[in-house]
Amino acid sequence: MEVKLAKTAGFCFGVQRAVDTVYTQIEEGAFPIYTYGPIVHNETVVQELEEQGVRVLSTKEELSSLKEGTVIIRAHGVGKHIYDLLEDKGIRLVDATCPFVRKIHRIVQKEGANGRKILIIGNARHPEVEGIRGWCSTSSYVVESIEEAQNFTVDPREKLCVVSQTTFNYKKFKDMVEIISKKGYDIIVLNTICSATEERQTEARQIASQSDAMIVIGGSHSSNTQKLFEICKKECENTYHIQKLEDLDLKASQSIRCVGITAGASTPKKIIEEVQKHVGIKF
Ligand code: SF4
């Protein structure tokens, strides 16, 4: 019986870095410590941090009411107005924005200053996209679907800079860029998709295709976990989605010779290791 754990399972570089940043602040005793939004979409991690005195702020109003402390910006990043707000209030800011997202902030700031309007390919309601828009000094637009790309129009004299949300699907990005490019605008296109998501999906697909059962670990509201589940299920009918070890109801069977395991971007290593160990002992 073989257990195959995906190398890309769990936190990506940016999320790991953000979580480590919070623990460093705890060690340094920079209390009161706040994160602006949950540092990662995982209740276990957020609760553990809360027990250590880290509070989650959800709104700009909550930020505005702070008198002291340290505010940690998560990997998704935030708009410039949040940096300005904290600076005005003299609140210490610790920036855990993923460097790949920070790069997009710099691009849109520079291209905006060059007179280009920014077109973001992504989900307008996602905090990362909201943050990117917050660095655009000129107008910004967001398109998410092929249909929106087809319907997209601006003044023909406008110059555009196209960027992407880091987790956008590459093929869809390419198709949408092709549609927009044909409209005859003066555009520059920068592919700012981060490879972490794609690598995780490719590996999950490969492991699932070679496994008799596949376990996908991740939050029930995590869209990237949901996507991993769909990918694995296509390759391996026996695919299970669990949030933690207790959810696992995998029956030992002689026909199972290989179990694959992968996990979404917000799943802590500890949970993955627990599942891996349990499966290894049980079978
Ligand atoms: Fe993770 Fe990539 Fe997002 Fe950074 S940009 S947080 S590495 S998925």
Side-chain angles (χ1 to χ4, degrees), residues 105-118 135-139 157-161 186 188 190:
H105 294 172
R106 283 198 289 268
I107 291 171
V108 299
Q109 203 178 18
K110 181 174 154 234
E111 294 306 331
N114 288 343
R116 290 192 181 267
K117 302 277 165 72
I118 309 297
W135 286 91
C136 301
S137 49
T138 51
S139 313
R157 289 163 300 182
E158 297 286 19
K159 290 195 284 181
L160 290 172
C161 166
D186 173 349
I188 54 168
L190 292 141

Side-chain angles (χ1 to χ4, degrees), residues 12-15 75 98 100-101 166-167 194 196-197:
C12 60
F13 151 79
V15 170
C98 177
F100 298 132
V101 177
T166 54
T167 47
C194 154
T197 311

Side-chain angles (χ1 to χ4, degrees), residues 89-240:
K89 293 184 65 68
I91 303 280
R92 183 168 168 260
L93 180 149
V94 174
D95 197 353
T97 304
C98 177
F100 298 132
V101 177
R102 199 69 193 104
K103 188 176 136 198
I104 306 178
H105 294 172
R106 283 198 289 268
I107 291 171
V108 299
Q109 203 178 18
K110 181 174 154 234
E111 294 306 331
N114 288 343
R116 290 192 181 267
K117 302 277 165 72
I118 309 297
L119 173 59
I120 305 160
I121 296 190
N123 174 352
R125 291 172 310 283
H126 192 283
E128 180 193 314
V129 174
E130 288 173 358
I132 296 169
R133 296 190 92 177
W135 286 91
C136 301
S137 49
T138 51
S139 313
S140 62
Y141 313 94
V142 184
V143 287
E144 192 180 7
S145 63
I146 297 283
E147 202 192 345
E148 282 170 7
Q150 282 161 345
N151 294 334
F152 177 77
T153 49
V154 284
D155 186 315
R157 289 163 300 182
E158 297 286 19
K159 290 195 284 181
L160 290 172
C161 166
V162 183
V163 293
S164 163
Q165 185 177 343
T166 54
T167 47
F168 207 76
N169 176 297
Y170 176 61
K171 170 146 191 338
K172 205 167 151 194
F173 172 78
K174 236 174 62 187
D175 292 346
M176 287 167 73
V177 164
E178 206 178 300
I179 294 168
I180 295 158
S181 300
K182 285 187 183 145
K183 294 181 188 272
Y185 300 119
D186 173 349
I187 70 168
I188 54 168
V189 178
L190 292 141
N191 171 8
T192 48
I193 294 173
C194 154
S195 54
T197 311
E198 207 187 335
E199 281 165 13
R200 185 196 314 271
Q201 291 176 356
T202 307
E203 194 189 17
R205 186 178 293 116
Q206 194 204 355
I207 293 180
S209 70
Q210 297 162 352
S211 303
D212 304 308
M214 184 77 194
I215 303 167
V216 180
I217 318 166
S220 56
H221 301 296
S222 154
S223 63
N224 80 84
T225 304
Q226 196 56 47
K227 188 87 206 300
L228 278 178
F229 176 76
E230 283 164 22
I231 289 170
C232 294
K233 183 86 178 165
K234 260 195 203 158
E235 303 293 331
C236 172
E237 183 50 39
N238 237 348
T239 295
Y240 302 82

Side-chain angles (χ1 to χ4, degrees), residues 232-264:
C232 294
K233 183 86 178 165
K234 260 195 203 158
E235 303 293 331
C236 172
E237 183 50 39
N238 237 348
T239 295
Y240 302 82
H241 172 201
I242 59 167
Q243 294 199 65
K244 49 189 180 320
L245 179 59
E246 293 74 50
D247 304 333
L248 187 62
D249 186 21
L250 186 61
K251 304 264 181 315
S253 141
Q254 290 216 319
S255 60
I256 297 182
R257 274 168 310 185
C258 176
V259 177
I261 302 173
T262 187

Side-chain angles (χ1 to χ4, degrees), residues 48-64:
E48 263 177 33
L49 290 172
E50 233 165 54
E51 282 159 16
Q52 301 203 46
V54 178
R55 269 195 52 205
V56 178
L57 302 174
S58 313
T59 62
K60 202 177 156 193
E61 288 66 41
E62 283 181 295
L63 264 192
S64 306

